[in-house]
Amino acid sequence: MEKNKKKRIICFFPTSKRYYGMGGAERRIPYIFSNLDNTKFDVTILFQVYDGQSEKILKDIKKYINSNTKIVFIKGYLKILIYLIKQKFDWVCYTDCIIRSTVVIIGAILSGSYRLMMSVTTTNSKLIFKSRIEKMLFKVNVLLSNQIDCLYPSSINILKKAFPQKKISLTPCTLSNMQECIPSTKKRNYIVFAGRLVDGKGIELFVDAIFAIKEVIRKNEYLCVICGDGPLKSIIEAKVQNYNITDIVKVKGYTNVRKILSEAKIFCSLQNVNNYPSQSLLEAIACGCYCIATNVGDTENIIDPSFGELIDADKKSLANALLTAISFENDKWEDISKKASKYAISNFDLKNAVNHFEELFQK
């Protein structure tokens, strides 16, 4: 390769048949790659799509990329395979979604591309799988990759021990478009849950805890806002109805969560494996929220006592933490907001991730 020739990078994301909006990885990774030095790198983001999805994804992804980044939509994995073989990218990047990434890896091998697996799934990075087949396929994908870039600090040693011959690096913690996360000077009595409404995110725990302290919430005039979409949405809506708490709980669906977070006082991040580095949690910190998070995985690395609390993943612990936060005096909220926002600026800087990947791709 010519010394001064740009490196051509492509990053692959699969989609499900029903589009629920951009997840954390789909926002964070394109944002980082889009900010790579465009005199040295040409970046393409590739989405495997189903009918009717391209326009929706394009509308969402435009918020996280610049004009130098190319977006490609392809239906069908055979077409993706052919595309990769023809294009011959220098680096092909993909997440650890096991089966759906295998075709991409094969295409990268056949085209002579370097292969980077980005370990972004909490369970996979800890080698926790639903079946032996998943475990086997993950191992195959790792062995066929040139390097693994892991999102979770606590998983690095696990992966290094399991795959001692592989290059394994740690992705710096980054928040996309942090400049848009501006705390409001007038915080409202909002308690927010934001995330994909799927198992493992803690949405049912959130609703159960709200129900347990519903009278305190009503007395103090708080509103609980659920932002996000997913397979559990209809179940959660029914639960809110059955609990008779529709007056204090609103299910917003996929919405502009940053506007809500900038005005909110309290945010809950309740995943059962790891809240680090949930983009919604990082957004809440940057927006000056008091953050209540389950004490799992690497969550302790991003929750400081000056603006948050770590809890056990049960209804009583969450309810007690919410009661404590609701009881804060008015003058404390301004201090919490300033400390949380300052922490985000100091710890979630884009430059760290950009420098990391530029160095990686130059090797």
Side-chain angles (χ1 to χ4, degrees):
M1 183 181 296
E2 298 174 19
K3 188 173 182 180
N4 295 324
K5 186 178 179 181
K6 286 186 181 183
K7 294 286 183 73
R8 298 177 65 237
I9 316 295
I10 188 167
C11 187
F12 165 76
F13 292 100
T15 58
S16 56
K17 289 187 177 180
R18 180 177 174 184
Y19 178 63
Y20 292 112
M22 304 293 291
E26 290 88 348
R27 289 182 284 159
R28 178 178 49 81
I29 296 171
Y31 179 67
I32 296 170
F33 282 21
S34 184
N35 281 278
L36 298 179
D37 186 345
N38 61 24
T39 67
K40 298 178 180 178
F41 304 97
D42 277 330
V43 174
T44 299
I45 307 297
L46 168 62
F47 287 94
Q48 165 267 324
V49 294
Y50 296 91
D51 289 337
Q53 291 184 336
S54 299
E55 288 187 8
K56 295 177 182 177
I57 295 174
L58 184 60
K59 180 181 177 182
D60 289 339
I61 194 67
K62 278 185 175 180
K63 303 171 187 175
Y64 303 101
I65 61 170
N66 57 37
S67 58
N68 296 313
T69 304
K70 183 179 180 181
I71 304 296
V72 175
F73 301 104
I74 299 180
K75 300 176 186 177
Y77 283 94
L78 179 58
K79 291 181 180 179
I80 289 174
L81 183 69
I82 294 170
Y83 175 78
L84 292 174
I85 293 172
K86 286 183 176 180
Q87 290 295 318
K88 298 185 182 299
F89 290 93
D90 295 301
W91 280 90
V92 175
C93 310
Y94 40 88
T95 58
D96 55 353
C97 51
I98 306 181
I99 295 176
R100 291 180 290 180
S101 287
T102 303
V103 174
V104 174
I105 295 171
I106 293 170
I109 292 172
L110 293 176
S111 66
S113 305
Y114 286 101
R115 302 168 298 282
L116 176 67
M117 174 189 280
M118 294 172 289
S119 185
V120 298
T121 308
T122 53
T123 49
N124 290 355
S125 71
K126 292 185 179 297
L127 305 183
I128 300 171
F129 304 99
K130 294 179 181 179
S131 67
R132 290 183 179 180
I133 293 176
E134 279 194 0
K135 182 178 180 179
M136 179 191 70
L137 287 173
F138 180 84
K139 182 177 181 179
V140 169
N141 286 359
V142 169
L143 294 176
L144 292 177
S145 301
N146 295 102
Q147 183 162 342
I148 313 302
D149 198 64
C150 181
L151 192 57
Y152 311 103
S154 62
S155 295
I156 291 292
N157 288 335
I158 295 173
L159 292 172
K160 284 184 175 181
K161 184 177 180 180
F163 306 102
Q165 304 304 317
K166 282 293 168 185
K167 293 180 180 178
I168 299 174
S169 53
L170 176 65
T171 316
C173 185
T174 302
L175 172 59
S176 56
N177 291 335
M178 185 161 55
Q179 69 277 7
E180 296 178 1
C181 297
I182 303 172
S184 172
T185 55
K186 294 182 179 180
K187 287 285 188 176
R188 298 174 181 267
N189 289 353
Y190 292 164
I191 301 171
V192 179
F193 177 99
R196 194 70 57 86
L197 303 185
V198 295
D199 288 331
K201 296 287 188 178
I203 179 57
E204 293 190 84
L205 169 61
F206 179 76
V207 175
D208 289 343
I210 296 303
F211 175 69
I213 59 169
K214 60 184 183 298
E215 296 308 327
V216 175
I217 291 175
R218 288 184 175 122
K219 181 180 178 181
N220 288 274
E221 298 182 334
Y222 268 78
L223 179 66
C224 306
V225 183
I226 298 173
C227 303
D229 201 350
L232 295 182
K233 185 182 177 186
S234 60
I235 295 173
I236 294 304
E237 288 174 329
K239 195 166 195 175
V240 171
Q241 287 278 355
N242 292 337
Y243 277 166
N244 195 26
I245 52 175
T246 55
D247 59 319
I248 57 171
V249 178
K250 302 300 178 185
V251 183
K252 292 285 189 179
Y254 189 63
T255 187
N256 184 356
V257 69
R258 290 186 173 185
K259 185 178 186 303
I260 295 171
L261 289 174
S262 69
E263 298 180 339
K265 286 184 176 179
I266 304 169
F267 179 79
C268 296
S269 188
L270 308 171
Q271 299 191 47
N272 62 8
V273 178
N274 208 338
N275 295 292
Y276 175 105
S278 161
Q279 289 293 285
S280 295
L281 176 54
L282 301 190
E283 287 170 340
I285 296 171
C287 286
C289 297
Y290 182 78
C291 297
I292 299 170
T294 43
N295 190 12
V296 292
D298 302 292
T299 308
E300 63 181 1
N301 292 344
I302 52 174
I303 295 293
D304 188 85
S306 64
F307 60 79
E309 181 180 353
L310 296 171
I311 63 167
D312 293 331
D314 61 70
K315 180 176 69 175
K316 183 178 179 181
S317 296
L318 177 55
N320 287 338
L322 287 169
L323 290 173
T324 298
I326 290 171
S327 70
F328 289 160
E329 298 294 335
N330 288 334
D331 58 355
K332 187 169 183 176
W333 288 110
E334 183 178 353
D335 184 57
I336 288 170
S337 182
K338 287 180 179 178
K339 287 179 177 177
S341 178
K342 183 178 179 180
Y343 183 92
I345 293 170
S346 299
N347 291 277
F348 310 147
D349 193 349
L350 168 68
K351 291 181 181 178
N352 296 330
V354 169
N355 291 340
H356 168 77
F357 282 106
E358 286 186 346
E359 183 178 340
L360 189 157
F361 291 140
Q362 289 285 21
K363 292 179 180 179

